[in-house]
Amino acid sequence: MAATLAFWVLAAISCWNFHAVSAQPSPEVQKRISAAIANAAHHNSTDVDYTQFVNVFIGTDNFGDVCPGASVPFGMVKFSTDLTGYAPAGYVTDPTQKIRGLSPMHDSGTGSSLGTYGNFEIMPMVCPHGFNSCPLTLASRERFRKNNTDDASPGYFSQTLDNGIKMEATSTRRAGLERFTFPKGSKPYFVLDLANDLPASFAGGHMDIDPEQGRITMGGLWGSSFGPSLYNYQAFACYDLLDGGKQKLSEWGVWTGMTSEDFQTAGLGLTHLNLTRNLIGGVYESGALFSYEGNPEQVNIRVGISFVSTDQACANAESEVGNASFEDIMAQSKALWNEKLSKIEIDLKDTPANVTEMLYSSLYRASLTPNNATDETQGPFANTTHPYFDSLYCSWDTFRTFYPLMSLHSPVEFAQIVDNYIDGWRKLGWMPECRANNLPGWTQGGSSGDVIVGHFAITYHNEAAALGIDLDELYSAMLADAEINPPEWNTLGRQADVYKQYGYVPFGVLDTSSTGRQTREGSRTLEYAFEDFAVRQVALLLNKTEDVATYTNRSLFYRNVWDPSVTSDGFHGFMQKRAPNGSFVHTNPVDCSPKDNDTNRECSLQGDNVVGFYESSSWEYSWFAPHDTAHLIELMGGNATFLKRLDHFFDAGYYLAGNEPSFQTPIGYHYANKPADSVDRVRDVVFTNFDTTPAGLPGNDDQAAMATVLAFHLLGLYPVPSTSQFLVLSPMVPQYTIHNSYLNVSTTVTTKGFDARSVQRTIPKGAAAYVKSVTVNGVVQPTRCHLDFYDVFRVGGEVVIEVTADKNEANSCGASVPESVSTGGFASVR
Ligand SMILES: *[C@@H]1O[C@H](CO)[C@@H](O)[C@H](O)[C@H]1NC(C)=O
Ligand SMILES: *[C@@H]1O[C@H](CO)[C@@H](O)[C@H](O)[C@H]1NC(C)=O
Ligand SMILES: *[C@@H]1O[C@H](CO)[C@@H](O)[C@H](O)[C@H]1NC(C)=O
Ligand SMILES: *[C@@H]1O[C@H](CO)[C@@H](O)[C@H](O)[C@H]1NC(C)=O
Ligand SMILES: *[C@@H]1O[C@H](CO)[C@@H](O)[C@H](O)[C@H]1NC(C)=O
Ligand SMILES: *[C@@H]1O[C@H](CO)[C@@H](O)[C@H](O)[C@H]1NC(C)=O
Ligand SMILES: *[C@@H]1O[C@H](CO)[C@@H](O)[C@H](O)[C@H]1NC(C)=O
Ligand SMILES: *[C@@H]1O[C@H](CO)[C@@H](O)[C@H](O)[C@H]1NC(C)=O
Ligand SMILES: *[C@@H]1O[C@H](CO)[C@@H](O)[C@H](O)[C@H]1NC(C)=O
Ligand SMILES: *[C@@H]1O[C@H](CO)[C@@H](O)[C@H](O)[C@H]1NC(C)=O
Ligand SMILES: *[C@@H]1O[C@H](CO)[C@@H](O)[C@H](O)[C@H]1NC(C)=O
Ligand SMILES: *[C@@H]1O[C@H](CO)[C@@H](O)[C@H](O)[C@H]1NC(C)=O
């Protein structure tokens, strides 16, 4: 999802106001990163620690919803503090918000305004008047931070409370260590919360204290942050309090309380809680309270997490942490991160420092989610023998750039996630669209998983079997999404029957075959059509000749919601929703764009979103036919009008950098044979919307959708999902190498003539940045607008992108513009 349900209201207030809030991370964080980049640039070392260049705080302000917590790549555990107010990922920089506690599970870059996870919070405190005086409930224990001291880096998170207690954490996939440093001479107390999570969704649970072993186990049921409240997921935790016998408990007990009644009570020596769902409504407040003997300055606590059982949570802590030290676990995490980050290496000497920081911070988040919950499965997935990932949040966000970036260097990980998508079909009948908290979340554009598995099939079909993917099974899963009408398409599948019957998703149709919220007919038609293109691509790959014809036809259904009669700002023809009788039901193409004056208009999943589009305007979605832009140009009146309309789209402010349907639009100029205009536009987009501050994302990261579109912009590439085509732009680094260790190839891209002065919002006169020629392994390419994955990143070698300051010289593609179905493009797969 691109935004919170309240996004349009929030956007009106503050989304475009970048540096409104003073940064909370310690100023030392940016100093440390800048020094590391400067040092690496001067010392031409082969042993680079890439984690030093990562700023995990990018996207923790301005509704970026990034989790800066301690995590390993794709970690199920992400330790972060949870703050009050709007904080879907737990942490936010806003210094006026208070800390609720430190907790082991979070998502990153998801816009649910409710927040997600945040279960099993622990809050350190000093209680000068003893056990019965500790503040226990959420509202009473919340505290401000010590301002400007927050610190974090890959594998490490730290925050200090305003009373001087420092909290630190580091993690493995399913476990981790917490370290608390108390003011000298104070007795350490801790509240461990059983019931509260960020979305306040507790549906019953239990807790047991074993004082001998110094172990607290707990578990329960909670609800999804972005899905039907009817469903619950289970989660379990195991807290080991004694640091392998080095620490001793003083007091322990359980507590309960009610914030509304300002009442709390702790039972010294009691060890068991068993709570049901609060049927009358509201949040239970309950948990454990314990203290340590001997006023230790430092307390170490080990935490294990599981989605299966408390036993498994404890076993995970034993096997993944054991008695390893905080420093050991941190070093292990850092090593795992370096393995991921070094898949793309750059010329550190000549790359502008901001670009190095933005790129590695983006690559970091590109491996932060989804959360690898393999062997931690529940519900229909219990005991599956396939890999399992939680938080596919959502496929509508990630199919465009996240998985195509992964396909460049990590086919093994990509295959695991694809297997997980197929397993969704095996267990539930359709592939997941938006899995949130292990539960099916709300469908956005249809079954975008089709495009994700399609991209895998197109790029790695030669290796699919070796990577554990049966392409026939993959194709069956796609066909189920495309053909089988689910009883309800709010969470899985598409409104397939009526879409097939009418050639578009009709507005106001009597559909007795499937239930769902009847909104977003325009954008659903456009997304369904592109999903059909993905099916068509795999049909082509598997020689399913009849299916190729069927799905090629269906991929052109986007045309059926094009209404040539609609005019806006002098441009003719827009996508519109359409009634079953074929007539269009008009809404203003400006509605739900950033220029919409009605800040109360509903634009997301709400039942009263009547514009026909999801989190977008018709101005924005009318560009969406990535597989057939050539025909879109014709619909819009030819190249000249198309180019004028593109310029107007940006100049008039209809473009929304933080919204996925807008991702490819800045590169639209390529299709009208003006690639140098795309280069100008992408520079402007990057330096208007992204930077290295906590507010440095144009909104929600959407599980690194934003991170990966930025990474592609910096590398001068853009993928066409479900194809092997990459559009070529102007890299903002002088040289980079992409390693694909599975294929055992490396590809070095050199920007010949690179001028660092061009790396800014407006390319200054005389700075080389426009693509003059593209050479692959010594062969000058006939076109400078596109490349094929099979000719480049699958074979490795040397790519030279020569740039010039002469824009006119570079402002045409040469032999061919990028492909489109209607002009004979994508005729075969490689
Ligand atoms: C860095 O060192 C490598 C060998 O270690 C060498 O090939 C390369 O030219 C050096 N680069 C610079 C910019 O000095
Ligand atoms: C931190 O800054 C915020 C906002 O200026 C302020 O409200 C809060 O009191 C400060 N906290 C401390 C511990 O000084
Ligand atoms: C909690 O109580 C319920 C109902 O009394 C009981 O069925 C369940 O076994 C108990 N669970 C635990 C872990 O004590
Ligand atoms: C940690 O555990 C391992 C295996 O259980 C043991 O061999 C080792 O001595 C322990 N180390 C410490 C520091 O306790
Ligand atoms: C999963 O396996 C465990 C252990 O073998 C078993 O107790 C449990 O019932 C299984 N669950 C399902 C849903 O098959
Ligand atoms: C997920 O976890 C499993 C089990 O540890 C591991 O085999 C797999 O490589 C992990 N996958 C990724 C993408 O991290
Ligand atoms: C599809 O047909 C081509 C050309 O005849 C052949 O090379 C390829 O192996 C076939 N693929 C499959 C999956 O049958
Ligand atoms: C495409 O499908 C429509 C019906 O959905 C049909 O009228 C048309 O003939 C088909 N076109 C082709 C080229 O198959
Ligand atoms: C078609 O349906 C729309 C929406 O229900 C309605 O407003 C319009 O009058 C209908 N047109 C015809 C020609 O029946
Ligand atoms: C929004 O308000 C401004 C200022 O009143 C006006 O110029 C503009 O035309 C309005 N836009 C729309 C789409 O109504
Ligand atoms: C647009 O330009 C491209 C590339 O020059 C050309 O192939 C195409 O025919 C033009 N399209 C139209 C509708 O003029
Ligand atoms: C680079 O970063 C510095 C410091 O954050 C900032 O002042 C400058 O504007 C940035 N430059 C670009 C091109 O983003």
Side-chain angles (χ1 to χ4, degrees), residues 356-374:
T356 301
E357 185 172 343
M358 285 195 283
L359 180 64
Y360 283 100
S361 302
S362 298
L363 297 178
Y364 168 78
R365 300 203 307 283
S367 289
L368 188 58
T369 56
N371 308 338
N372 187 353
T374 297

PDB file of all heavy atoms in Angstrom, residues 356-374:
ATOM      1  N   THR A 356      26.317   7.507  -2.407  1.00  0.00           N
ATOM      2  CA  THR A 356      26.770   6.297  -1.711  1.00  0.00           C
ATOM      3  C   THR A 356      25.841   5.985  -0.540  1.00  0.00           C
ATOM      4  O   THR A 356      25.392   4.845  -0.374  1.00  0.00           O
ATOM      5  CB  THR A 356      28.216   6.498  -1.194  1.00  0.00           C
ATOM      6  OG1 THR A 356      29.060   6.785  -2.299  1.00  0.00           O
ATOM      7  CG2 THR A 356      28.715   5.261  -0.464  1.00  0.00           C
ATOM      8  N   GLU A 357      25.518   6.999   0.227  1.00  0.00           N
ATOM      9  CA  GLU A 357      24.665   6.788   1.408  1.00  0.00           C
ATOM     10  C   GLU A 357      23.240   6.395   1.001  1.00  0.00           C
ATOM     11  O   GLU A 357      22.657   5.463   1.563  1.00  0.00           O
ATOM     12  CB  GLU A 357      24.655   8.054   2.272  1.00  0.00           C
ATOM     13  CG  GLU A 357      23.887   7.886   3.568  1.00  0.00           C
ATOM     14  CD  GLU A 357      24.054   9.082   4.515  1.00  0.00           C
ATOM     15  OE1 GLU A 357      24.999   9.879   4.320  1.00  0.00           O
ATOM     16  OE2 GLU A 357      23.242   9.194   5.444  1.00  0.00           O
ATOM     17  N   MET A 358      22.692   7.087   0.003  1.00  0.00           N
ATOM     18  CA  MET A 358      21.323   6.756  -0.430  1.00  0.00           C
ATOM     19  C   MET A 358      21.276   5.345  -1.024  1.00  0.00           C
ATOM     20  O   MET A 358      20.342   4.580  -0.790  1.00  0.00           O
ATOM     21  CB  MET A 358      20.821   7.762  -1.465  1.00  0.00           C
ATOM     22  CG  MET A 358      20.432   9.101  -0.874  1.00  0.00           C
ATOM     23  SD  MET A 358      19.434  10.117  -2.007  1.00  0.00           S
ATOM     24  CE  MET A 358      20.662  10.731  -3.125  1.00  0.00           C
ATOM     25  N   LEU A 359      22.310   5.000  -1.803  1.00  0.00           N
ATOM     26  CA  LEU A 359      22.304   3.692  -2.466  1.00  0.00           C
ATOM     27  C   LEU A 359      22.408   2.552  -1.450  1.00  0.00           C
ATOM     28  O   LEU A 359      21.586   1.625  -1.466  1.00  0.00           O
ATOM     29  CB  LEU A 359      23.443   3.593  -3.482  1.00  0.00           C
ATOM     30  CG  LEU A 359      23.507   2.260  -4.232  1.00  0.00           C
ATOM     31  CD1 LEU A 359      22.264   2.049  -5.100  1.00  0.00           C
ATOM     32  CD2 LEU A 359      24.758   2.175  -5.108  1.00  0.00           C
ATOM     33  N   TYR A 360      23.383   2.620  -0.546  1.00  0.00           N
ATOM     34  CA  TYR A 360      23.539   1.497   0.389  1.00  0.00           C
ATOM     35  C   TYR A 360      22.405   1.451   1.418  1.00  0.00           C
ATOM     36  O   TYR A 360      22.026   0.366   1.874  1.00  0.00           O
ATOM     37  CB  TYR A 360      24.938   1.486   1.020  1.00  0.00           C
ATOM     38  CG  TYR A 360      25.928   0.937   0.004  1.00  0.00           C
ATOM     39  CD1 TYR A 360      26.741   1.782  -0.738  1.00  0.00           C
ATOM     40  CD2 TYR A 360      25.951  -0.423  -0.289  1.00  0.00           C
ATOM     41  CE1 TYR A 360      27.583   1.291  -1.721  1.00  0.00           C
ATOM     42  CE2 TYR A 360      26.783  -0.930  -1.266  1.00  0.00           C
ATOM     43  CZ  TYR A 360      27.603  -0.075  -1.986  1.00  0.00           C
ATOM     44  OH  TYR A 360      28.414  -0.575  -2.961  1.00  0.00           O
ATOM     45  N   SER A 361      21.843   2.592   1.751  1.00  0.00           N
ATOM     46  CA  SER A 361      20.683   2.580   2.654  1.00  0.00           C
ATOM     47  C   SER A 361      19.489   1.936   1.946  1.00  0.00           C
ATOM     48  O   SER A 361      18.711   1.207   2.555  1.00  0.00           O
ATOM     49  CB  SER A 361      20.339   4.002   3.096  1.00  0.00           C
ATOM     50  OG  SER A 361      21.456   4.598   3.725  1.00  0.00           O
ATOM     51  N   SER A 362      19.382   2.179   0.648  1.00  0.00           N
ATOM     52  CA  SER A 362      18.303   1.564  -0.131  1.00  0.00           C
ATOM     53  C   SER A 362      18.527   0.058  -0.272  1.00  0.00           C
ATOM     54  O   SER A 362      17.586  -0.731  -0.143  1.00  0.00           O
ATOM     55  CB  SER A 362      18.227   2.190  -1.526  1.00  0.00           C
ATOM     56  OG  SER A 362      17.939   3.567  -1.432  1.00  0.00           O
ATOM     57  N   LEU A 363      19.783  -0.326  -0.532  1.00  0.00           N
ATOM     58  CA  LEU A 363      20.065  -1.758  -0.673  1.00  0.00           C
ATOM     59  C   LEU A 363      19.831  -2.480   0.653  1.00  0.00           C
ATOM     60  O   LEU A 363      19.399  -3.633   0.691  1.00  0.00           O
ATOM     61  CB  LEU A 363      21.500  -1.980  -1.156  1.00  0.00           C
ATOM     62  CG  LEU A 363      21.819  -1.416  -2.554  1.00  0.00           C
ATOM     63  CD1 LEU A 363      23.288  -1.659  -2.904  1.00  0.00           C
ATOM     64  CD2 LEU A 363      20.913  -2.030  -3.621  1.00  0.00           C
ATOM     65  N   TYR A 364      20.107  -1.789   1.744  1.00  0.00           N
ATOM     66  CA  TYR A 364      19.838  -2.356   3.071  1.00  0.00           C
ATOM     67  C   TYR A 364      18.346  -2.674   3.211  1.00  0.00           C
ATOM     68  O   TYR A 364      17.964  -3.804   3.528  1.00  0.00           O
ATOM     69  CB  TYR A 364      20.289  -1.359   4.145  1.00  0.00           C
ATOM     70  CG  TYR A 364      19.820  -1.681   5.537  1.00  0.00           C
ATOM     71  CD1 TYR A 364      20.455  -2.667   6.301  1.00  0.00           C
ATOM     72  CD2 TYR A 364      18.727  -1.021   6.107  1.00  0.00           C
ATOM     73  CE1 TYR A 364      20.014  -2.979   7.583  1.00  0.00           C
ATOM     74  CE2 TYR A 364      18.286  -1.326   7.383  1.00  0.00           C
ATOM     75  CZ  TYR A 364      18.931  -2.301   8.108  1.00  0.00           C
ATOM     76  OH  TYR A 364      18.479  -2.621   9.372  1.00  0.00           O
ATOM     77  N   ARG A 365      17.521  -1.692   2.913  1.00  0.00           N
ATOM     78  CA  ARG A 365      16.084  -1.926   3.073  1.00  0.00           C
ATOM     79  C   ARG A 365      15.554  -2.930   2.044  1.00  0.00           C
ATOM     80  O   ARG A 365      14.559  -3.612   2.295  1.00  0.00           O
ATOM     81  CB  ARG A 365      15.310  -0.601   3.008  1.00  0.00           C
ATOM     82  CG  ARG A 365      15.749   0.367   4.109  1.00  0.00           C
ATOM     83  CD  ARG A 365      14.694   1.402   4.438  1.00  0.00           C
ATOM     84  NE  ARG A 365      14.202   2.127   3.293  1.00  0.00           N
ATOM     85  CZ  ARG A 365      14.851   3.120   2.669  1.00  0.00           C
ATOM     86  NH1 ARG A 365      16.044   3.519   3.093  1.00  0.00           N
ATOM     87  NH2 ARG A 365      14.316   3.717   1.638  1.00  0.00           N
ATOM     88  N   ALA A 366      16.250  -3.055   0.915  1.00  0.00           N
ATOM     89  CA  ALA A 366      15.851  -4.037  -0.100  1.00  0.00           C
ATOM     90  C   ALA A 366      16.064  -5.471   0.385  1.00  0.00           C
ATOM     91  O   ALA A 366      15.580  -6.409  -0.249  1.00  0.00           O
ATOM     92  CB  ALA A 366      16.620  -3.784  -1.397  1.00  0.00           C
ATOM     93  N   SER A 367      16.783  -5.645   1.502  1.00  0.00           N
ATOM     94  CA  SER A 367      16.933  -6.981   2.091  1.00  0.00           C
ATOM     95  C   SER A 367      16.415  -7.039   3.524  1.00  0.00           C
ATOM     96  O   SER A 367      16.698  -7.983   4.255  1.00  0.00           O
ATOM     97  CB  SER A 367      18.417  -7.413   2.081  1.00  0.00           C
ATOM     98  OG  SER A 367      18.848  -7.691   0.774  1.00  0.00           O
ATOM     99  N   LEU A 368      15.651  -6.054   3.926  1.00  0.00           N
ATOM    100  CA  LEU A 368      15.133  -6.019   5.303  1.00  0.00           C
ATOM    101  C   LEU A 368      13.811  -6.782   5.414  1.00  0.00           C
ATOM    102  O   LEU A 368      13.500  -7.390   6.432  1.00  0.00           O
ATOM    103  CB  LEU A 368      14.942  -4.551   5.710  1.00  0.00           C
ATOM    104  CG  LEU A 368      14.584  -4.218   7.139  1.00  0.00           C
ATOM    105  CD1 LEU A 368      15.625  -4.753   8.106  1.00  0.00           C
ATOM    106  CD2 LEU A 368      14.437  -2.704   7.308  1.00  0.00           C
ATOM    107  N   THR A 369      13.026  -6.747   4.352  1.00  0.00           N
ATOM    108  CA  THR A 369      11.736  -7.428   4.308  1.00  0.00           C
ATOM    109  C   THR A 369      11.645  -8.191   2.994  1.00  0.00           C
ATOM    110  O   THR A 369      12.417  -7.866   2.076  1.00  0.00           O
ATOM    111  CB  THR A 369      10.575  -6.406   4.345  1.00  0.00           C
ATOM    112  OG1 THR A 369      10.756  -5.496   3.255  1.00  0.00           O
ATOM    113  CG2 THR A 369      10.536  -5.658   5.657  1.00  0.00           C
ATOM    114  N   PRO A 370      10.745  -9.127   2.783  1.00  0.00           N
ATOM    115  CA  PRO A 370       9.781  -9.633   3.761  1.00  0.00           C
ATOM    116  C   PRO A 370      10.473 -10.415   4.878  1.00  0.00           C
ATOM    117  O   PRO A 370      11.652 -10.744   4.772  1.00  0.00           O
ATOM    118  CB  PRO A 370       8.873 -10.536   2.915  1.00  0.00           C
ATOM    119  CG  PRO A 370       9.717 -10.944   1.750  1.00  0.00           C
ATOM    120  CD  PRO A 370      10.617  -9.778   1.477  1.00  0.00           C
ATOM    121  N   ASN A 371       9.707 -10.697   5.925  1.00  0.00           N
ATOM    122  CA  ASN A 371      10.270 -11.339   7.108  1.00  0.00           C
ATOM    123  C   ASN A 371      10.281 -12.861   6.924  1.00  0.00           C
ATOM    124  O   ASN A 371       9.252 -13.475   6.689  1.00  0.00           O
ATOM    125  CB  ASN A 371       9.444 -10.967   8.334  1.00  0.00           C
ATOM    126  CG  ASN A 371       9.254  -9.460   8.465  1.00  0.00           C
ATOM    127  OD1 ASN A 371      10.037  -8.683   7.920  1.00  0.00           O
ATOM    128  ND2 ASN A 371       8.210  -9.039   9.165  1.00  0.00           N
ATOM    129  N   ASN A 372      11.474 -13.423   7.028  1.00  0.00           N
ATOM    130  CA  ASN A 372      11.640 -14.863   6.790  1.00  0.00           C
ATOM    131  C   ASN A 372      11.134 -15.654   7.996  1.00  0.00           C
ATOM    132  O   ASN A 372      11.802 -15.760   9.014  1.00  0.00           O
ATOM    133  CB  ASN A 372      13.132 -15.140   6.551  1.00  0.00           C
ATOM    134  CG  ASN A 372      13.397 -16.568   6.136  1.00  0.00           C
ATOM    135  OD1 ASN A 372      12.484 -17.404   6.138  1.00  0.00           O
ATOM    136  ND2 ASN A 372      14.637 -16.861   5.799  1.00  0.00           N
ATOM    137  N   ALA A 373       9.948 -16.208   7.861  1.00  0.00           N
ATOM    138  CA  ALA A 373       9.357 -16.986   8.953  1.00  0.00           C
ATOM    139  C   ALA A 373       9.314 -18.475   8.591  1.00  0.00           C
ATOM    140  O   ALA A 373       8.424 -19.208   9.010  1.00  0.00           O
ATOM    141  CB  ALA A 373       7.968 -16.461   9.289  1.00  0.00           C
ATOM    142  N   THR A 374      10.293 -18.901   7.815  1.00  0.00           N
ATOM    143  CA  THR A 374      10.420 -20.320   7.483  1.00  0.00           C
ATOM    144  C   THR A 374      10.516 -21.131   8.780  1.00  0.00           C
ATOM    145  O   THR A 374      11.199 -20.725   9.722  1.00  0.00           O
ATOM    146  CB  THR A 374      11.682 -20.523   6.610  1.00  0.00           C
ATOM    147  OG1 THR A 374      11.501 -19.794   5.400  1.00  0.00           O
ATOM    148  CG2 THR A 374      11.914 -21.991   6.299  1.00  0.00           C
TER     149      THR A 374
END
